[in-house]
Amino acid sequence: MESKRTVLISGGAGYIGSHTAVELINAGYYVVIIDNLTNSERDSVAGVEKITGKKVAFEVVDTCDRAQLKTVFETYPFDTVIHFAAYKAVGESMAEPLKYYQNNLVSFMNIVAMMKEYGRPNILFSSSATVYGEAEHLPVTEQTPRQPATSPYGNTKQIAEDILRDSCRAYDNVRGIALRYFNPIGAHPSALIGELPRGVPNNLVPFITQTAAGIRERLSVFGNDYDTPDGTCLRDYIDVVDLAKAHVATVNRMTSDKMEDRYEIFNIGTGRPISVLELLTTFENVNNIKLPYTIVDRRPGDVPAVWAETSRANEVLEWKAERTLNETLKSAWEWEKHVRNII
Ligand code: NAD
Ligand code: WQD
């Protein structure tokens, strides 16, 4: 392994991490995956190996544990980390804020501190469109002011962005890029890796696929009285393979010394707003399935609409979302069928 071509992926057994591992390997990088498997299974690493035909270095490591991380840093010669490892359930973060601040912030501070200590310069951080809250102007650009966080989860993203920004300012050998993901959905076209929520899904697409599989009785559409074309919320749904490729473009930028600033931010979305009902009917049409649903009250905390201005990522990262919503929603259903053994 050579250091400039080796990437450490924390949380790499998870949904976005496993897809990113595939795309990095396909682009010629070596990857080292660390994950404590609190929200994922070893199977996803096996899926990455099956798709790529390459053996992957994988260690069960808790990024909150510095001693475990030290061994990783002393064993592998990466110069770049992609830090996915975090808890991500917004509702749970309201009920158990300390669990979120502890895991999401301690793990990130450990990663930044160790990168600095070992002279490994490149840190890519998984941020979220949640930092924009209810924006005054749409689509949101990277300059759109962040709104005060409405959940501890969202707050961990804002604080971690600030930790990275300040570390890049202060330490010569640290540089960072925060990618603000919009709504990642879908699965790898092989159906060998995908999203595996534990318990009742909070997010729309896993709830839809589980309803289609008969695990959930019906979908609740949270509100149809928003000030939007069909009254349901608008989001920017980004295919997970496209999102994974954005990470490859970002790593290319960092490892080829192309960064203009020591800390940079990019929105990663499609730039296209889609309503809940539009997503639902597209899923029905491409998969030839009828989904039972009921319109219910708004879900507290939901913003009416948010979507990305993506020109900075398109131009600077030379990346853009390519998969169609049809392809993405087909892949989401293929994955659910694979998981549930539905023929
Ligand atoms: P995920 O839960 O599938 O993946 C996160 C992985 O991190 C899991 O495999 C989990 O086991 C692992 N992990 C958690 N804490 C850990 C720790 N202390 N040590 C080691 N491993 C740990 O989630 P995902 O959807 O792949 O999200 C990845 C990242 O992207 C997260 O930081 C998340 O906040 C961020 N993000 C996700 C979304 C989304 O909608 N999925 C949107 C924006 C940002
Ligand atoms: C999408 C739309 C719901 C479920 C969340 C996090 C955000 C980011 C991405 C990590 C909304 C509607 C949903 C359902 C529904 N994650 N909906 N019925 O809320 O945009 O973003 O995931 O950073 O931080 O907040 O995504 O998939 O939950 O909802 O009608 O059963 O679908 O109201 O309009 P959201 P989501």
Short mmCIF file of all heavy atoms in Angstrom, two decimals, residues 274-318:
data_model
loop_
_atom_site.label_atom_id
_atom_site.label_comp_id
_atom_site.label_asym_id
_atom_site.label_seq_id
_atom_site.Cartn_x
_atom_site.Cartn_y
_atom_site.Cartn_z
N ILE A 274 -37.71 17.38 -5.17
CA ILE A 274 -38.70 16.33 -5.42
C ILE A 274 -39.66 16.30 -4.23
O ILE A 274 -39.20 16.34 -3.08
CB ILE A 274 -38.02 14.94 -5.53
CG1 ILE A 274 -36.96 14.92 -6.65
CG2 ILE A 274 -39.04 13.81 -5.70
CD1 ILE A 274 -37.51 14.81 -8.05
N SER A 275 -40.95 16.21 -4.51
CA SER A 275 -41.91 16.17 -3.39
C SER A 275 -42.08 14.73 -2.90
O SER A 275 -41.74 13.77 -3.60
CB SER A 275 -43.26 16.73 -3.83
OG SER A 275 -43.96 15.77 -4.58
N VAL A 276 -42.64 14.61 -1.70
CA VAL A 276 -42.88 13.27 -1.13
C VAL A 276 -43.80 12.48 -2.07
O VAL A 276 -43.54 11.30 -2.38
CB VAL A 276 -43.50 13.37 0.28
CG1 VAL A 276 -43.82 11.99 0.84
CG2 VAL A 276 -42.57 14.12 1.22
N LEU A 277 -44.87 13.12 -2.56
CA LEU A 277 -45.81 12.40 -3.42
C LEU A 277 -45.18 12.03 -4.77
O LEU A 277 -45.44 10.95 -5.31
CB LEU A 277 -47.08 13.23 -3.66
CG LEU A 277 -48.02 13.34 -2.45
CD1 LEU A 277 -49.25 14.18 -2.80
CD2 LEU A 277 -48.46 11.95 -1.95
N GLU A 278 -44.33 12.90 -5.27
CA GLU A 278 -43.65 12.61 -6.54
C GLU A 278 -42.72 11.40 -6.37
O GLU A 278 -42.67 10.52 -7.23
CB GLU A 278 -42.82 13.85 -6.92
CG GLU A 278 -42.42 13.95 -8.36
CD GLU A 278 -41.62 15.23 -8.59
OE1 GLU A 278 -41.64 16.16 -7.73
OE2 GLU A 278 -40.96 15.30 -9.63
N LEU A 279 -42.04 11.36 -5.25
CA LEU A 279 -41.13 10.24 -4.99
C LEU A 279 -41.93 8.94 -4.86
O LEU A 279 -41.59 7.91 -5.45
CB LEU A 279 -40.33 10.51 -3.72
CG LEU A 279 -39.22 9.49 -3.54
CD1 LEU A 279 -37.86 10.15 -3.42
CD2 LEU A 279 -39.46 8.64 -2.33
N LEU A 280 -43.02 9.04 -4.14
CA LEU A 280 -43.89 7.88 -3.92
C LEU A 280 -44.43 7.34 -5.25
O LEU A 280 -44.36 6.13 -5.52
CB LEU A 280 -45.02 8.37 -3.01
CG LEU A 280 -46.11 7.44 -2.58
CD1 LEU A 280 -45.51 6.34 -1.75
CD2 LEU A 280 -47.13 8.22 -1.73
N THR A 281 -44.96 8.22 -6.09
CA THR A 281 -45.56 7.73 -7.35
C THR A 281 -44.47 7.24 -8.31
O THR A 281 -44.69 6.28 -9.04
CB THR A 281 -46.44 8.79 -8.04
OG1 THR A 281 -45.73 10.02 -8.03
CG2 THR A 281 -47.75 9.00 -7.34
N THR A 282 -43.29 7.86 -8.27
CA THR A 282 -42.20 7.36 -9.12
C THR A 282 -41.82 5.95 -8.68
O THR A 282 -41.62 5.05 -9.51
CB THR A 282 -40.97 8.29 -9.05
OG1 THR A 282 -41.40 9.62 -9.30
CG2 THR A 282 -39.91 7.90 -10.05
N PHE A 283 -41.74 5.74 -7.36
CA PHE A 283 -41.43 4.40 -6.85
C PHE A 283 -42.47 3.39 -7.35
O PHE A 283 -42.14 2.31 -7.82
CB PHE A 283 -41.39 4.40 -5.32
CG PHE A 283 -41.02 3.06 -4.74
CD1 PHE A 283 -39.69 2.71 -4.53
CD2 PHE A 283 -42.01 2.11 -4.45
CE1 PHE A 283 -39.34 1.45 -4.02
CE2 PHE A 283 -41.67 0.86 -3.95
CZ PHE A 283 -40.34 0.53 -3.73
N GLU A 284 -43.74 3.78 -7.25
CA GLU A 284 -44.82 2.87 -7.68
C GLU A 284 -44.68 2.55 -9.17
O GLU A 284 -44.78 1.38 -9.57
CB GLU A 284 -46.19 3.52 -7.43
CG GLU A 284 -46.54 3.64 -5.95
CD GLU A 284 -47.94 4.20 -5.73
OE1 GLU A 284 -48.36 5.12 -6.48
OE2 GLU A 284 -48.62 3.73 -4.82
N ASN A 285 -44.43 3.58 -9.96
CA ASN A 285 -44.39 3.37 -11.42
C ASN A 285 -43.20 2.53 -11.86
O ASN A 285 -43.36 1.60 -12.64
CB ASN A 285 -44.37 4.72 -12.15
CG ASN A 285 -45.68 5.46 -11.95
OD1 ASN A 285 -46.71 4.83 -11.63
ND2 ASN A 285 -45.67 6.77 -12.12
N VAL A 286 -42.00 2.84 -11.35
CA VAL A 286 -40.83 2.10 -11.85
C VAL A 286 -40.82 0.65 -11.35
O VAL A 286 -40.27 -0.22 -12.02
CB VAL A 286 -39.46 2.75 -11.52
CG1 VAL A 286 -39.30 4.05 -12.24
CG2 VAL A 286 -39.25 2.93 -10.04
N ASN A 287 -41.43 0.42 -10.21
CA ASN A 287 -41.39 -0.95 -9.67
C ASN A 287 -42.72 -1.69 -9.82
O ASN A 287 -42.84 -2.84 -9.40
CB ASN A 287 -40.98 -0.91 -8.19
CG ASN A 287 -39.55 -0.39 -8.04
OD1 ASN A 287 -38.65 -0.87 -8.72
ND2 ASN A 287 -39.36 0.61 -7.19
N ASN A 288 -43.69 -1.00 -10.42
CA ASN A 288 -44.99 -1.62 -10.67
C ASN A 288 -45.63 -2.16 -9.37
O ASN A 288 -46.01 -3.33 -9.30
CB ASN A 288 -44.81 -2.73 -11.71
CG ASN A 288 -46.11 -3.00 -12.44
OD1 ASN A 288 -47.03 -2.18 -12.36
ND2 ASN A 288 -46.20 -4.15 -13.10
N ILE A 289 -45.66 -1.29 -8.38
CA ILE A 289 -46.18 -1.66 -7.05
C ILE A 289 -47.15 -0.56 -6.62
O ILE A 289 -46.89 0.62 -6.86
CB ILE A 289 -45.02 -1.72 -6.02
CG1 ILE A 289 -44.12 -2.91 -6.31
CG2 ILE A 289 -45.53 -1.78 -4.59
CD1 ILE A 289 -42.88 -2.95 -5.46
N LYS A 290 -48.23 -0.93 -5.98
CA LYS A 290 -49.14 0.06 -5.41
C LYS A 290 -48.84 0.17 -3.92
O LYS A 290 -48.77 -0.85 -3.22
CB LYS A 290 -50.59 -0.41 -5.64
CG LYS A 290 -51.60 0.67 -5.73
CD LYS A 290 -51.66 1.39 -7.08
CE LYS A 290 -52.26 2.78 -6.88
NZ LYS A 290 -51.39 3.87 -7.28
N LEU A 291 -48.64 1.38 -3.43
CA LEU A 291 -48.28 1.55 -2.02
C LEU A 291 -49.43 2.14 -1.23
O LEU A 291 -49.91 3.23 -1.56
CB LEU A 291 -47.10 2.51 -1.89
CG LEU A 291 -45.69 1.98 -2.04
CD1 LEU A 291 -44.72 3.14 -1.90
CD2 LEU A 291 -45.37 0.91 -1.01
N PRO A 292 -49.89 1.47 -0.18
CA PRO A 292 -50.91 2.08 0.66
C PRO A 292 -50.32 3.25 1.45
O PRO A 292 -49.24 3.11 2.03
CB PRO A 292 -51.33 0.95 1.61
CG PRO A 292 -50.21 -0.03 1.58
CD PRO A 292 -49.45 0.16 0.31
N TYR A 293 -50.99 4.39 1.42
CA TYR A 293 -50.49 5.52 2.22
C TYR A 293 -51.63 6.38 2.75
O TYR A 293 -52.74 6.36 2.20
CB TYR A 293 -49.49 6.37 1.42
CG TYR A 293 -50.10 7.25 0.36
CD1 TYR A 293 -50.50 8.55 0.65
CD2 TYR A 293 -50.24 6.79 -0.95
CE1 TYR A 293 -51.05 9.36 -0.33
CE2 TYR A 293 -50.79 7.59 -1.94
CZ TYR A 293 -51.19 8.88 -1.62
OH TYR A 293 -51.73 9.68 -2.59
N THR A 294 -51.35 7.11 3.81
CA THR A 294 -52.32 8.02 4.41
C THR A 294 -51.62 9.35 4.65
O THR A 294 -50.46 9.37 5.07
CB THR A 294 -52.78 7.50 5.81
OG1 THR A 294 -53.09 6.13 5.68
CG2 THR A 294 -53.96 8.27 6.34
N ILE A 295 -52.34 10.42 4.37
CA ILE A 295 -51.80 11.74 4.72
C ILE A 295 -52.06 11.96 6.21
O ILE A 295 -53.20 11.82 6.67
CB ILE A 295 -52.50 12.87 3.92
CG1 ILE A 295 -52.48 12.59 2.40
CG2 ILE A 295 -51.92 14.23 4.29
CD1 ILE A 295 -51.20 12.83 1.69
N VAL A 296 -51.02 12.28 6.94
CA VAL A 296 -51.18 12.54 8.38
C VAL A 296 -50.63 13.94 8.69
O VAL A 296 -50.20 14.66 7.77
CB VAL A 296 -50.47 11.46 9.24
CG1 VAL A 296 -51.03 10.07 8.95
CG2 VAL A 296 -48.96 11.49 9.02
N ASP A 297 -50.60 14.29 9.97
CA ASP A 297 -50.10 15.61 10.36
C ASP A 297 -48.63 15.79 9.97
O ASP A 297 -47.90 14.81 9.79
CB ASP A 297 -50.19 15.77 11.88
CG ASP A 297 -51.62 15.99 12.32
OD1 ASP A 297 -52.47 16.25 11.45
OD2 ASP A 297 -51.88 15.86 13.54
N ARG A 298 -48.23 17.02 9.92
CA ARG A 298 -46.80 17.33 9.71
C ARG A 298 -45.95 16.68 10.80
O ARG A 298 -46.42 16.55 11.93
CB ARG A 298 -46.58 18.85 9.78
CG ARG A 298 -47.23 19.62 8.66
CD ARG A 298 -46.98 21.09 8.87
NE ARG A 298 -47.53 21.88 7.76
CZ ARG A 298 -47.20 23.12 7.50
NH1 ARG A 298 -46.32 23.76 8.26
NH2 ARG A 298 -47.72 23.77 6.47
N ARG A 299 -44.73 16.30 10.46
CA ARG A 299 -43.81 15.78 11.47
C ARG A 299 -43.07 16.96 12.09
O ARG A 299 -42.47 17.77 11.36
CB ARG A 299 -42.82 14.81 10.80
CG ARG A 299 -41.82 14.18 11.74
CD ARG A 299 -41.00 13.09 11.05
NE ARG A 299 -40.12 13.59 10.01
CZ ARG A 299 -39.28 12.83 9.31
NH1 ARG A 299 -39.21 11.53 9.53
NH2 ARG A 299 -38.51 13.36 8.38
N PRO A 300 -43.08 17.10 13.42
CA PRO A 300 -42.40 18.24 14.03
C PRO A 300 -40.93 18.30 13.60
O PRO A 300 -40.26 17.27 13.53
CB PRO A 300 -42.50 17.97 15.53
CG PRO A 300 -43.63 17.00 15.68
CD PRO A 300 -43.68 16.19 14.41
N GLY A 301 -40.47 19.50 13.30
CA GLY A 301 -39.06 19.67 12.96
C GLY A 301 -38.78 19.61 11.46
O GLY A 301 -37.70 20.00 11.02
N ASP A 302 -39.74 19.12 10.65
CA ASP A 302 -39.49 19.07 9.20
C ASP A 302 -39.48 20.46 8.59
O ASP A 302 -40.35 21.28 8.90
CB ASP A 302 -40.59 18.25 8.50
CG ASP A 302 -40.31 16.76 8.52
OD1 ASP A 302 -39.16 16.36 8.80
OD2 ASP A 302 -41.25 15.98 8.24
N VAL A 303 -38.51 20.71 7.72
CA VAL A 303 -38.55 21.98 6.98
C VAL A 303 -39.39 21.75 5.72
O VAL A 303 -39.40 20.65 5.18
CB VAL A 303 -37.13 22.50 6.63
CG1 VAL A 303 -36.33 22.76 7.88
CG2 VAL A 303 -36.38 21.57 5.70
N PRO A 304 -40.10 22.77 5.25
CA PRO A 304 -40.97 22.58 4.08
C PRO A 304 -40.18 22.18 2.82
O PRO A 304 -40.61 21.31 2.07
CB PRO A 304 -41.61 23.96 3.87
CG PRO A 304 -41.46 24.66 5.17
CD PRO A 304 -40.24 24.12 5.83
N ALA A 305 -39.02 22.82 2.63
CA ALA A 305 -38.29 22.57 1.38
C ALA A 305 -36.81 22.86 1.57
O ALA A 305 -36.45 23.83 2.24
CB ALA A 305 -38.83 23.47 0.27
N VAL A 306 -35.98 22.00 1.00
CA VAL A 306 -34.55 22.32 0.90
C VAL A 306 -33.96 21.54 -0.26
O VAL A 306 -34.25 20.36 -0.44
CB VAL A 306 -33.79 22.06 2.22
CG1 VAL A 306 -33.80 20.60 2.65
CG2 VAL A 306 -32.34 22.56 2.15
N TRP A 307 -33.23 22.25 -1.11
CA TRP A 307 -32.48 21.58 -2.15
C TRP A 307 -31.21 22.36 -2.43
O TRP A 307 -31.06 23.51 -2.02
CB TRP A 307 -33.31 21.31 -3.40
CG TRP A 307 -33.71 22.48 -4.23
CD1 TRP A 307 -33.08 22.98 -5.32
CD2 TRP A 307 -34.90 23.28 -4.06
NE1 TRP A 307 -33.78 24.04 -5.83
CE2 TRP A 307 -34.91 24.25 -5.08
CE3 TRP A 307 -35.96 23.28 -3.13
CZ2 TRP A 307 -35.91 25.20 -5.20
CZ3 TRP A 307 -36.96 24.24 -3.26
CH2 TRP A 307 -36.93 25.17 -4.28
N ALA A 308 -30.28 21.70 -3.14
CA ALA A 308 -28.92 22.22 -3.24
C ALA A 308 -28.68 23.02 -4.50
O ALA A 308 -29.16 22.66 -5.58
CB ALA A 308 -27.94 21.04 -3.22
N GLU A 309 -27.89 24.06 -4.36
CA GLU A 309 -27.19 24.65 -5.51
C GLU A 309 -25.90 23.84 -5.61
O GLU A 309 -25.12 23.80 -4.67
CB GLU A 309 -26.93 26.13 -5.23
CG GLU A 309 -25.98 26.82 -6.17
CD GLU A 309 -26.42 26.74 -7.62
OE1 GLU A 309 -27.53 27.19 -7.92
OE2 GLU A 309 -25.64 26.21 -8.44
N THR A 310 -25.70 23.18 -6.74
CA THR A 310 -24.59 22.23 -6.83
C THR A 310 -23.45 22.71 -7.72
O THR A 310 -22.52 21.94 -7.99
CB THR A 310 -25.07 20.86 -7.35
OG1 THR A 310 -25.62 21.06 -8.65
CG2 THR A 310 -26.10 20.24 -6.44
N SER A 311 -23.53 23.96 -8.21
CA SER A 311 -22.54 24.35 -9.22
C SER A 311 -21.11 24.33 -8.70
O SER A 311 -20.17 24.01 -9.44
CB SER A 311 -22.88 25.71 -9.84
OG SER A 311 -23.10 26.63 -8.82
N ARG A 312 -20.94 24.60 -7.41
CA ARG A 312 -19.56 24.57 -6.88
C ARG A 312 -18.99 23.13 -6.97
O ARG A 312 -17.86 22.94 -7.45
CB ARG A 312 -19.55 25.08 -5.42
CG ARG A 312 -18.18 25.09 -4.81
CD ARG A 312 -18.14 25.90 -3.51
NE ARG A 312 -17.11 25.40 -2.63
CZ ARG A 312 -15.81 25.63 -2.78
NH1 ARG A 312 -15.38 26.36 -3.80
NH2 ARG A 312 -14.93 25.14 -1.93
N ALA A 313 -19.77 22.16 -6.56
CA ALA A 313 -19.30 20.76 -6.67
C ALA A 313 -19.12 20.38 -8.13
O ALA A 313 -18.14 19.72 -8.50
CB ALA A 313 -20.29 19.81 -5.99
N ASN A 314 -20.06 20.80 -8.99
CA ASN A 314 -19.97 20.46 -10.41
C ASN A 314 -18.68 21.01 -11.02
O ASN A 314 -17.98 20.32 -11.75
CB ASN A 314 -21.16 21.02 -11.21
CG ASN A 314 -22.51 20.51 -10.73
OD1 ASN A 314 -23.55 21.10 -10.98
ND2 ASN A 314 -22.52 19.39 -10.01
N GLU A 315 -18.37 22.26 -10.68
CA GLU A 315 -17.22 22.91 -11.32
C GLU A 315 -15.90 22.56 -10.65
O GLU A 315 -14.94 22.19 -11.31
CB GLU A 315 -17.42 24.43 -11.34
CG GLU A 315 -18.43 24.85 -12.40
CD GLU A 315 -19.13 26.17 -12.09
OE1 GLU A 315 -18.54 27.00 -11.37
OE2 GLU A 315 -20.28 26.34 -12.55
N VAL A 316 -15.87 22.69 -9.34
CA VAL A 316 -14.59 22.54 -8.63
C VAL A 316 -14.22 21.07 -8.44
O VAL A 316 -13.07 20.68 -8.65
CB VAL A 316 -14.63 23.30 -7.29
CG1 VAL A 316 -13.32 23.16 -6.55
CG2 VAL A 316 -14.95 24.78 -7.53
N LEU A 317 -15.19 20.27 -8.06
CA LEU A 317 -14.89 18.84 -7.88
C LEU A 317 -14.99 18.07 -9.20
O LEU A 317 -14.63 16.90 -9.27
CB LEU A 317 -15.86 18.20 -6.87
CG LEU A 317 -15.77 18.63 -5.41
CD1 LEU A 317 -16.85 17.93 -4.59
CD2 LEU A 317 -14.39 18.33 -4.84
N GLU A 318 -15.53 18.74 -10.21
CA GLU A 318 -15.80 18.08 -11.50
C GLU A 318 -16.63 16.81 -11.28
O GLU A 318 -16.33 15.73 -11.80
CB GLU A 318 -14.50 17.77 -12.24
CG GLU A 318 -13.75 19.04 -12.62
CD GLU A 318 -12.40 18.76 -13.23
OE1 GLU A 318 -12.32 17.87 -14.07
OE2 GLU A 318 -11.43 19.45 -12.83
#
